[in-house]
Amino acid sequence: MIADMRQPTESRTGLGPRMGEALIMTAFGIAVAVPAVLGYNFLNRANRVILASLDGFAYDLHANLTTGARLPANEKGVVAPMRPRSG
């Protein structure tokens, strides 16, 4: 491209299509990258939520195994966590 810029104006007709092609490829790249980033962020958040839930379970299990205390259940039979969970 730099060599084409050094040429007189009449020979620069070959530069336009190549620059247009580069712009079109850039648009395609952005069109592919944006959904990929959104999908990655969605899966990353879902993974963090699952890991937080497993962390709470591991804490409760460890507390039960080390103290031997049973976890209290509410009227529906659901066991309440030993510690409040954030978020």
Side-chain angles (χ1 to χ4, degrees):
M1 268 201 304
I2 293 175
D4 286 341
M5 295 300 274
R6 292 183 182 153
Q7 298 295 327
T9 309
E10 296 80 27
S11 67
R12 288 190 193 166
T13 57
L15 183 62
R18 287 184 286 174
M19 292 197 54
E21 181 182 349
L23 289 173
I24 291 171
M25 290 299 123
T26 301
F28 282 137
I30 290 172
V32 169
V34 169
V37 168
L38 293 176
Y40 171 80
N41 288 339
F42 172 77
L43 293 175
N44 192 23
R45 174 156 168 62
N47 190 27
R48 281 188 280 137
V49 168
I50 292 170
L51 287 177
S53 175
L54 289 175
D55 182 53
F57 172 74
Y59 178 84
D60 292 342
L61 180 64
H62 180 263
N64 187 325
L65 293 177
T66 56
T67 63
R70 296 209 32 129
L71 299 175
N74 63 13
E75 62 276 353
K76 294 180 182 178
V78 177
V79 175
M82 294 186 73
R83 65 181 170 113
R85 294 195 178 109
S86 60

Coordinates of all heavy atoms in Angstrom, one line a residue:
M1 N 0.8 -1.2 0.0 CA 0.0 0.0 0.0 C 0.9 1.2 0.0 O 0.5 2.2 -0.6 CB -0.9 0.0 1.2 CG -2.2 -0.6 1.0 SD -3.6 -0.2 2.1 CE -3.0 -0.6 3.7
I2 N 2.0 1.2 0.7 CA 2.8 2.4 0.8 C 3.4 2.7 -0.6 O 3.5 3.8 -1.0 CB 3.9 2.2 1.9 CG1 3.3 2.2 3.2 CG2 4.9 3.3 1.8 CD1 4.2 1.9 4.4
A3 N 3.8 1.6 -1.3 CA 4.3 1.8 -2.6 C 3.3 2.4 -3.5 O 3.6 3.2 -4.4 CB 4.8 0.5 -3.2
D4 N 2.0 2.0 -3.4 CA 0.9 2.6 -4.2 C 0.8 4.1 -3.8 O 0.4 4.9 -4.7 CB -0.4 1.9 -3.9 CG -0.4 0.6 -4.6 OD1 0.4 0.4 -5.5 OD2 -1.2 -0.3 -4.2
M5 N 1.0 4.5 -2.6 CA 0.8 5.9 -2.2 C 1.9 6.8 -2.9 O 1.7 8.0 -3.1 CB 0.9 6.0 -0.7 CG -0.3 5.3 0.0 SD -1.9 5.9 -0.5 CE -2.0 7.3 0.6
R6 N 3.0 6.2 -3.2 CA 4.1 7.0 -3.8 C 3.9 7.2 -5.3 O 4.5 8.0 -5.9 CB 5.4 6.2 -3.5 CG 5.9 6.3 -2.1 CD 7.2 5.6 -1.9 NE 7.5 5.6 -0.5 CZ 8.3 4.7 0.1 NH1 8.8 3.8 -0.6 NH2 8.5 4.8 1.4
Q7 N 3.0 6.4 -5.8 CA 2.7 6.5 -7.3 C 1.8 7.7 -7.5 O 1.2 8.2 -6.6 CB 2.0 5.2 -7.8 CG 2.8 4.0 -7.6 CD 4.0 4.0 -8.5 OE1 4.0 4.5 -9.5 NE2 5.1 3.3 -8.0
P8 N 1.8 8.2 -8.7 CA 0.9 9.3 -9.1 C -0.5 8.9 -8.9 O -0.9 7.7 -8.8 CB 1.2 9.5 -10.6 CG 2.5 8.9 -10.8 CD 2.7 7.8 -9.8
T9 N -1.4 9.8 -8.8 CA -2.8 9.6 -8.5 C -3.5 8.7 -9.5 O -4.4 7.9 -9.1 CB -3.6 11.0 -8.6 OG1 -2.9 11.9 -7.7 CG2 -5.0 10.8 -8.1
E10 N -3.1 8.7 -10.8 CA -3.7 7.8 -11.8 C -3.6 6.3 -11.4 O -4.5 5.5 -11.8 CB -3.2 8.1 -13.2 CG -3.4 9.5 -13.7 CD -2.4 10.5 -13.1 OE1 -1.3 10.1 -12.7 OE2 -2.8 11.7 -13.0
S11 N -2.5 5.9 -10.8 CA -2.3 4.5 -10.5 C -2.9 4.1 -9.1 O -2.7 2.9 -8.8 CB -0.8 4.2 -10.6 OG -0.1 4.8 -9.5
R12 N -3.5 4.9 -8.4 CA -4.0 4.6 -7.1 C -5.4 3.9 -7.2 O -6.0 3.6 -6.2 CB -4.2 5.8 -6.2 CG -2.9 6.4 -5.8 CD -3.1 7.4 -4.7 NE -1.8 8.1 -4.5 CZ -1.7 9.2 -3.9 NH1 -2.8 9.8 -3.4 NH2 -0.5 9.8 -3.7
T13 N -5.9 3.6 -8.4 CA -7.2 2.9 -8.5 C -7.2 1.6 -7.9 O -8.2 1.1 -7.5 CB -7.6 2.8 -10.0 OG1 -6.6 2.1 -10.7 CG2 -7.8 4.2 -10.6
G14 N -6.1 0.9 -7.7 CA -6.0 -0.4 -7.1 C -6.0 -0.4 -5.6 O -6.2 -1.4 -4.9
L15 N -5.9 0.8 -5.0 CA -5.9 0.9 -3.5 C -7.3 0.9 -3.0 O -7.5 0.3 -1.9 CB -5.2 2.2 -3.1 CG -5.0 2.5 -1.7 CD1 -4.2 1.4 -1.0 CD2 -4.4 3.8 -1.4
G16 N -8.3 1.4 -3.6 CA -9.6 1.5 -3.1 C -10.3 0.1 -2.8 O -10.8 -0.1 -1.7
P17 N -10.3 -0.8 -3.7 CA -10.9 -2.1 -3.5 C -10.2 -2.8 -2.3 O -10.9 -3.5 -1.5 CB -10.7 -2.8 -4.8 CG -10.5 -1.8 -5.8 CD -9.9 -0.6 -5.1
R18 N -8.9 -2.7 -2.2 CA -8.2 -3.4 -1.1 C -8.6 -2.8 0.3 O -8.7 -3.5 1.3 CB -6.7 -3.4 -1.3 CG -6.3 -4.3 -2.4 CD -4.8 -4.4 -2.5 NE -4.4 -3.1 -3.2 CZ -3.2 -2.7 -3.4 NH1 -2.2 -3.5 -3.0 NH2 -2.9 -1.6 -4.0
M19 N -8.7 -1.4 0.3 CA -9.1 -0.8 1.6 C -10.6 -1.1 1.9 O -10.9 -1.4 3.1 CB -8.9 0.7 1.5 CG -7.4 1.0 1.4 SD -7.0 2.7 1.8 CE -7.7 3.0 3.4
G20 N -11.4 -1.2 0.9 CA -12.8 -1.6 1.1 C -12.9 -3.0 1.6 O -13.7 -3.3 2.5
E21 N -12.1 -3.9 1.1 CA -12.1 -5.3 1.5 C -11.6 -5.4 3.0 O -12.2 -6.1 3.8 CB -11.1 -6.1 0.6 CG -11.1 -7.6 1.0 CD -10.1 -8.3 0.2 OE1 -9.6 -7.8 -0.9 OE2 -9.8 -9.5 0.5
A22 N -10.6 -4.6 3.4 CA -10.1 -4.6 4.7 C -11.2 -4.1 5.7 O -11.4 -4.6 6.8 CB -8.9 -3.7 4.9
L23 N -12.0 -3.1 5.3 CA -13.1 -2.6 6.1 C -14.2 -3.6 6.3 O -14.7 -3.8 7.4 CB -13.6 -1.3 5.5 CG -12.7 0.0 5.7 CD1 -13.3 1.1 4.9 CD2 -12.5 0.3 7.1
I24 N -14.5 -4.3 5.2 CA -15.5 -5.3 5.3 C -15.1 -6.5 6.2 O -15.8 -7.0 7.0 CB -15.9 -5.9 3.9 CG1 -16.6 -4.8 3.1 CG2 -16.7 -7.1 3.9 CD1 -16.8 -5.1 1.6
M25 N -13.8 -6.9 6.1 CA -13.3 -8.0 6.9 C -13.3 -7.5 8.4 O -13.5 -8.3 9.3 CB -11.9 -8.4 6.5 CG -11.9 -9.1 5.2 SD -12.8 -10.6 5.3 CE -14.0 -10.4 4.0
T26 N -13.0 -6.2 8.7 CA -13.0 -5.7 10.0 C -14.4 -5.8 10.6 O -14.7 -6.2 11.7 CB -12.5 -4.3 10.1 OG1 -11.2 -4.3 9.6 CG2 -12.5 -3.7 11.5
A27 N -15.4 -5.4 9.8 CA -16.8 -5.5 10.2 C -17.2 -6.9 10.5 O -17.9 -7.2 11.5 CB -17.7 -4.9 9.1
F28 N -16.8 -7.9 9.7 CA -17.1 -9.3 9.9 C -16.4 -9.8 11.2 O -17.0 -10.5 12.0 CB -16.6 -10.2 8.8 CG -17.6 -10.2 7.6 CD1 -17.1 -10.1 6.3 CD2 -19.0 -10.2 7.8 CE1 -17.9 -10.1 5.2 CE2 -19.8 -10.2 6.7 CZ -19.3 -10.2 5.4
G29 N -15.2 -9.3 11.4 CA -14.5 -9.7 12.7 C -15.2 -9.2 13.9 O -15.3 -9.9 14.9
I30 N -15.7 -7.9 13.9 CA -16.4 -7.4 15.0 C -17.7 -8.1 15.2 O -18.2 -8.4 16.3 CB -16.6 -5.9 14.8 CG1 -15.3 -5.2 14.9 CG2 -17.6 -5.3 15.8 CD1 -15.3 -3.7 14.6
A31 N -18.4 -8.5 14.1 CA -19.7 -9.2 14.1 C -19.5 -10.5 14.8 O -20.4 -11.1 15.4 CB -20.3 -9.3 12.7
V32 N -18.4 -11.1 14.6 CA -18.1 -12.5 15.2 C -17.6 -12.3 16.7 O -18.0 -13.1 17.6 CB -17.1 -13.2 14.4 CG1 -16.6 -14.5 15.1 CG2 -17.7 -13.6 13.1
A33 N -16.9 -11.3 16.9 CA -16.3 -11.1 18.3 C -17.3 -10.7 19.3 O -17.2 -11.2 20.5 CB -15.1 -10.1 18.2
V34 N -18.2 -9.8 19.0 CA -19.2 -9.3 20.0 C -20.0 -10.5 20.6 O -20.1 -10.6 21.8 CB -20.0 -8.2 19.4 CG1 -21.2 -7.8 20.3 CG2 -19.1 -7.0 19.2
P35 N -20.7 -11.3 19.8 CA -21.4 -12.4 20.4 C -20.5 -13.4 21.1 O -21.0 -14.0 22.1 CB -22.1 -13.1 19.2 CG -22.1 -12.1 18.1 CD -20.9 -11.3 18.3
A36 N -19.3 -13.6 20.7 CA -18.4 -14.5 21.4 C -18.1 -14.0 22.8 O -18.1 -14.7 23.7 CB -17.1 -14.7 20.6
V37 N -17.9 -12.7 22.9 CA -17.6 -12.1 24.2 C -18.8 -12.2 25.1 O -18.7 -12.5 26.3 CB -17.1 -10.6 24.0 CG1 -17.1 -9.9 25.4 CG2 -15.7 -10.6 23.4
L38 N -20.0 -11.9 24.5 CA -21.2 -12.0 25.3 C -21.5 -13.4 25.8 O -21.8 -13.6 27.0 CB -22.4 -11.5 24.5 CG -22.4 -10.0 24.2 CD1 -23.6 -9.6 23.3 CD2 -22.4 -9.1 25.4
G39 N -21.3 -14.4 25.0 CA -21.4 -15.8 25.4 C -20.4 -16.2 26.4 O -20.7 -16.9 27.4
Y40 N -19.2 -15.7 26.3 CA -18.2 -16.0 27.3 C -18.5 -15.4 28.6 O -18.4 -16.1 29.7 CB -16.8 -15.5 26.8 CG -15.7 -15.5 27.9 CD1 -15.1 -16.7 28.1 CD2 -15.4 -14.4 28.7 CE1 -14.1 -16.8 29.1 CE2 -14.5 -14.5 29.6 CZ -13.8 -15.7 29.9 OH -12.9 -15.8 30.9
N41 N -19.0 -14.2 28.7 CA -19.4 -13.6 29.9 C -20.6 -14.3 30.6 O -20.6 -14.4 31.8 CB -19.7 -12.1 29.7 CG -18.5 -11.3 29.4 OD1 -17.4 -11.7 29.8 ND2 -18.6 -10.1 28.8
F42 N -21.5 -14.7 29.7 CA -22.7 -15.5 30.3 C -22.2 -16.8 30.9 O -22.6 -17.1 32.0 CB -23.7 -15.7 29.2 CG -24.8 -16.6 29.6 CD1 -25.8 -16.2 30.4 CD2 -24.8 -18.0 29.2 CE1 -26.9 -17.0 30.8 CE2 -25.8 -18.8 29.6 CZ -26.9 -18.3 30.4
L43 N -21.4 -17.5 30.2 CA -20.9 -18.8 30.8 C -20.0 -18.6 32.0 O -20.1 -19.4 32.9 CB -20.2 -19.6 29.7 CG -21.1 -20.1 28.5 CD1 -20.2 -20.7 27.5 CD2 -22.1 -21.0 29.0
N44 N -19.3 -17.6 32.0 CA -18.4 -17.3 33.1 C -19.2 -16.9 34.4 O -18.9 -17.4 35.5 CB -17.4 -16.1 32.8 CG -16.3 -16.0 33.8 OD1 -16.0 -16.9 34.5 ND2 -15.8 -14.8 33.9
R45 N -20.3 -16.1 34.2 CA -21.1 -15.8 35.3 C -21.9 -17.1 35.8 O -22.0 -17.3 37.0 CB -22.1 -14.7 34.9 CG -23.1 -14.5 36.0 CD -23.8 -13.1 36.0 NE -24.9 -12.9 36.8 CZ -24.9 -13.0 38.1 NH1 -23.8 -13.3 38.8 NH2 -26.0 -12.8 38.8
A46 N -22.4 -17.9 34.9 CA -23.1 -19.1 35.3 C -22.1 -20.0 36.1 O -22.5 -20.6 37.1 CB -23.6 -19.8 34.1
N47 N -20.9 -20.1 35.7 CA -19.9 -20.9 36.4 C -19.6 -20.4 37.8 O -19.5 -21.1 38.7 CB -18.6 -20.9 35.5 CG -17.6 -22.0 36.1 OD1 -18.0 -22.9 36.7 ND2 -16.4 -21.7 35.8
R48 N -19.5 -19.1 37.9 CA -19.3 -18.5 39.2 C -20.4 -18.7 40.2 O -20.2 -19.0 41.4 CB -19.0 -17.0 39.1 CG -17.5 -16.7 38.7 CD -17.2 -15.2 38.8 NE -17.8 -14.6 37.6 CZ -18.4 -13.5 37.5 NH1 -18.6 -12.8 38.7 NH2 -18.9 -12.9 36.4
V49 N -21.7 -18.7 39.7 CA -22.8 -18.9 40.5 C -22.8 -20.4 41.0 O -23.1 -20.6 42.2 CB -24.1 -18.6 39.7 CG1 -25.4 -19.1 40.5 CG2 -24.2 -17.1 39.5
I50 N -22.5 -21.3 40.1 CA -22.5 -22.7 40.5 C -21.4 -22.9 41.5 O -21.6 -23.7 42.5 CB -22.3 -23.6 39.3 CG1 -23.6 -23.5 38.4 CG2 -22.0 -25.0 39.6 CD1 -23.4 -24.2 37.0
L51 N -20.2 -22.3 41.3 CA -19.1 -22.5 42.2 C -19.4 -21.9 43.6 O -19.0 -22.5 44.6 CB -17.8 -21.9 41.7 CG -17.2 -22.7 40.5 CD1 -16.0 -22.0 40.0 CD2 -16.8 -24.1 41.0
A52 N -20.1 -20.8 43.6 CA -20.5 -20.2 44.9 C -21.5 -21.2 45.7 O -21.4 -21.3 46.9 CB -21.2 -18.9 44.7
S53 N -22.4 -21.8 44.9 CA -23.3 -22.7 45.6 C -22.6 -23.9 46.1 O -22.8 -24.4 47.2 CB -24.4 -23.2 44.5 OG -25.2 -24.1 45.1
L54 N -21.6 -24.4 45.3 CA -20.8 -25.6 45.8 C -20.0 -25.2 47.0 O -19.7 -26.0 47.9 CB -20.0 -26.1 44.7 CG -20.7 -26.9 43.5 CD1 -19.8 -27.2 42.4 CD2 -21.4 -28.1 44.1
D55 N -19.5 -24.0 47.0 CA -18.7 -23.5 48.1 C -19.5 -23.5 49.4 O -19.1 -23.9 50.5 CB -18.1 -22.1 47.9 CG -17.3 -21.6 49.0 OD1 -16.3 -22.3 49.4 OD2 -17.5 -20.5 49.5
G56 N -20.8 -23.1 49.3 CA -21.7 -23.1 50.5 C -21.9 -24.5 50.9 O -22.0 -24.8 52.2
F57 N -22.2 -25.4 50.0 CA -22.4 -26.8 50.4 C -21.2 -27.4 51.0 O -21.3 -28.1 52.0 CB -22.8 -27.6 49.1 CG -22.8 -29.1 49.4 CD1 -23.9 -29.6 50.0 CD2 -21.8 -29.9 48.9 CE1 -23.9 -31.0 50.3 CE2 -21.8 -31.3 49.2 CZ -22.9 -31.8 49.9
A58 N -20.0 -27.1 50.5 CA -18.8 -27.6 51.1 C -18.6 -27.1 52.5 O -18.2 -27.9 53.4 CB -17.6 -27.3 50.2
Y59 N -18.9 -25.8 52.7 CA -18.8 -25.3 54.1 C -19.7 -26.0 55.0 O -19.3 -26.3 56.1 CB -19.1 -23.8 54.0 CG -19.0 -23.1 55.4 CD1 -17.8 -22.7 55.9 CD2 -20.2 -22.9 56.1 CE1 -17.8 -22.1 57.1 CE2 -20.1 -22.3 57.3 CZ -18.9 -21.9 57.9 OH -18.9 -21.3 59.1
D60 N -21.0 -26.1 54.6 CA -22.0 -26.8 55.5 C -21.6 -28.3 55.7 O -21.7 -28.8 56.9 CB -23.4 -26.8 54.8 CG -23.9 -25.4 54.8 OD1 -23.4 -24.5 55.5 OD2 -24.9 -25.1 54.0
L61 N -21.1 -29.0 54.7 CA -20.7 -30.3 54.9 C -19.5 -30.5 55.9 O -19.5 -31.3 56.8 CB -20.3 -31.0 53.5 CG -19.9 -32.4 53.6 CD1 -21.0 -33.3 54.1 CD2 -19.4 -32.9 52.2
H62 N -18.6 -29.6 55.7 CA -17.4 -29.6 56.6 C -17.8 -29.3 58.0 O -17.4 -29.9 59.0 CB -16.4 -28.6 56.1 CG -15.1 -28.5 57.0 ND1 -15.0 -27.6 58.0 CD2 -14.0 -29.3 57.0 CE1 -13.8 -27.8 58.6 NE2 -13.2 -28.8 58.0
A63 N -18.7 -28.3 58.2 CA -19.2 -28.0 59.5 C -19.9 -29.2 60.2 O -19.7 -29.5 61.4 CB -20.1 -26.8 59.5
N64 N -20.7 -29.9 59.4 CA -21.4 -31.0 59.9 C -20.5 -32.2 60.2 O -20.6 -32.8 61.3 CB -22.4 -31.5 58.8 CG -23.4 -32.6 59.3 OD1 -23.0 -33.4 60.1 ND2 -24.6 -32.6 58.8
L65 N -19.5 -32.4 59.4 CA -18.6 -33.5 59.6 C -17.7 -33.2 60.8 O -17.3 -34.2 61.6 CB -17.8 -33.8 58.4 CG -18.6 -34.4 57.2 CD1 -17.6 -34.6 56.0 CD2 -19.2 -35.7 57.6
T66 N -17.3 -32.0 61.0 CA -16.3 -31.7 62.1 C -17.1 -31.6 63.5 O -16.5 -31.9 64.5 CB -15.5 -30.4 61.8 OG1 -16.4 -29.3 61.6 CG2 -14.6 -30.6 60.6
T67 N -18.3 -31.0 63.5 CA -19.0 -30.8 64.7 C -20.0 -31.9 65.0 O -20.4 -32.1 66.2 CB -19.7 -29.5 64.7 OG1 -20.7 -29.5 63.7 CG2 -18.8 -28.3 64.5
G68 N -20.4 -32.6 64.0 CA -21.4 -33.6 64.2 C -22.8 -33.1 64.4 O -23.8 -33.8 64.6
A69 N -23.0 -31.8 64.3 CA -24.3 -31.1 64.5 C -25.1 -31.3 63.2 O -24.6 -31.2 62.1 CB -24.1 -29.6 64.8
R70 N -26.4 -31.6 63.4 CA -27.3 -31.7 62.3 C -27.8 -30.3 61.9 O -28.0 -29.4 62.8 CB -28.5 -32.6 62.6 CG -28.0 -34.0 62.9 CD -29.0 -35.0 62.6 NE -29.9 -34.7 61.5 CZ -30.1 -35.5 60.5 NH1 -29.5 -36.6 60.4 NH2 -30.9 -35.1 59.5
L71 N -28.0 -30.1 60.7 CA -28.5 -28.8 60.2 C -30.0 -28.7 60.4 O -30.7 -29.6 60.2 CB -28.1 -28.6 58.8 CG -26.6 -28.6 58.4 CD1 -26.5 -28.5 56.9 CD2 -25.9 -27.4 59.1
P72 N -30.5 -27.6 61.0 CA -31.9 -27.4 61.2 C -32.7 -27.3 59.9 O -32.2 -26.7 58.9 CB -32.0 -26.2 62.0 CG -30.8 -25.4 61.6 CD -29.7 -26.4 61.4
A73 N -33.9 -27.9 59.8 CA -34.7 -27.9 58.6 C -35.9 -27.0 59.0 O -36.4 -26.9 60.1 CB -35.2 -29.3 58.2
N74 N -36.5 -26.3 58.0 CA -37.7 -25.5 58.2 C -38.9 -26.4 58.0 O -38.8 -27.7 57.9 CB -37.7 -24.4 57.2 CG -37.8 -24.8 55.7 OD1 -38.0 -26.0 55.4 ND2 -37.5 -23.9 54.8
E75 N -40.1 -25.8 58.1 CA -41.3 -26.6 58.1 C -41.5 -27.4 56.8 O -42.3 -28.4 56.7 CB -42.6 -25.7 58.3 CG -42.8 -24.6 57.3 CD -42.0 -23.4 57.6 OE1 -41.3 -23.3 58.6 OE2 -42.0 -22.5 56.7
K76 N -40.9 -27.0 55.7 CA -41.0 -27.7 54.4 C -40.0 -28.8 54.3 O -39.9 -29.5 53.3 CB -40.8 -26.7 53.2 CG -41.9 -25.7 53.1 CD -41.7 -24.8 52.0 CE -42.7 -23.7 51.9 NZ -42.5 -22.8 50.8
G77 N -39.1 -29.0 55.3 CA -38.1 -30.0 55.2 C -36.8 -29.6 54.5 O -35.9 -30.4 54.3
V78 N -36.7 -28.3 54.2 CA -35.5 -27.8 53.5 C -34.5 -27.4 54.6 O -34.8 -26.7 55.5 CB -35.9 -26.6 52.6 CG1 -34.6 -26.1 52.0 CG2 -36.9 -27.0 51.6
V79 N -33.3 -27.9 54.4 CA -32.2 -27.6 55.4 C -31.7 -26.2 55.1 O -31.3 -25.9 54.0 CB -31.1 -28.6 55.3 CG1 -29.9 -28.3 56.2 CG2 -31.6 -30.0 55.6
A80 N -31.7 -25.4 56.2 CA -31.1 -24.0 56.1 C -29.6 -24.1 56.2 O -29.1 -24.9 56.9 CB -31.7 -23.2 57.2
P81 N -28.9 -23.2 55.5 CA -27.5 -23.1 55.6 C -27.0 -22.7 57.0 O -27.8 -22.0 57.7 CB -27.1 -22.2 54.5 CG -28.3 -21.3 54.3 CD -29.5 -22.2 54.6
M82 N -25.8 -23.1 57.4 CA -25.3 -22.7 58.7 C -24.9 -21.3 58.7 O -24.7 -20.7 59.7 CB -24.2 -23.6 59.1 CG -24.6 -25.1 59.3 SD -23.3 -26.1 59.9 CE -23.2 -25.5 61.6
R83 N -24.6 -20.7 57.5 CA -24.1 -19.3 57.5 C -24.9 -18.7 56.4 O -25.4 -19.3 55.4 CB -22.7 -19.2 57.1 CG -22.3 -19.8 55.8 CD -20.8 -19.7 55.5 NE -20.5 -20.4 54.3 CZ -20.1 -19.8 53.2 NH1 -19.9 -18.6 53.1 NH2 -19.8 -20.6 52.1
P84 N -25.2 -17.4 56.5 CA -25.9 -16.7 55.4 C -25.1 -16.6 54.2 O -23.9 -16.4 54.3 CB -26.2 -15.3 56.0 CG -25.2 -15.1 57.1 CD -24.9 -16.5 57.6
R85 N -25.7 -16.8 53.0 CA -25.0 -16.7 51.8 C -25.2 -15.4 51.2 O -26.2 -14.8 51.2 CB -25.5 -17.8 50.8 CG -25.1 -19.2 51.3 CD -25.3 -20.2 50.1 NE -24.9 -21.5 50.6 CZ -25.7 -22.4 50.9 NH1 -27.0 -22.3 50.6 NH2 -25.3 -23.6 51.3
S86 N -24.1 -14.8 50.6 CA -24.2 -13.5 50.0 C -24.5 -13.6 48.5 O -24.1 -14.6 47.9 CB -22.9 -12.7 50.2 OG -21.8 -13.4 49.5
G87 N -25.3 -12.7 48.0 CA -25.6 -12.6 46.6 C -26.2 -13.6 45.9 O -26.4 -13.9 44.9

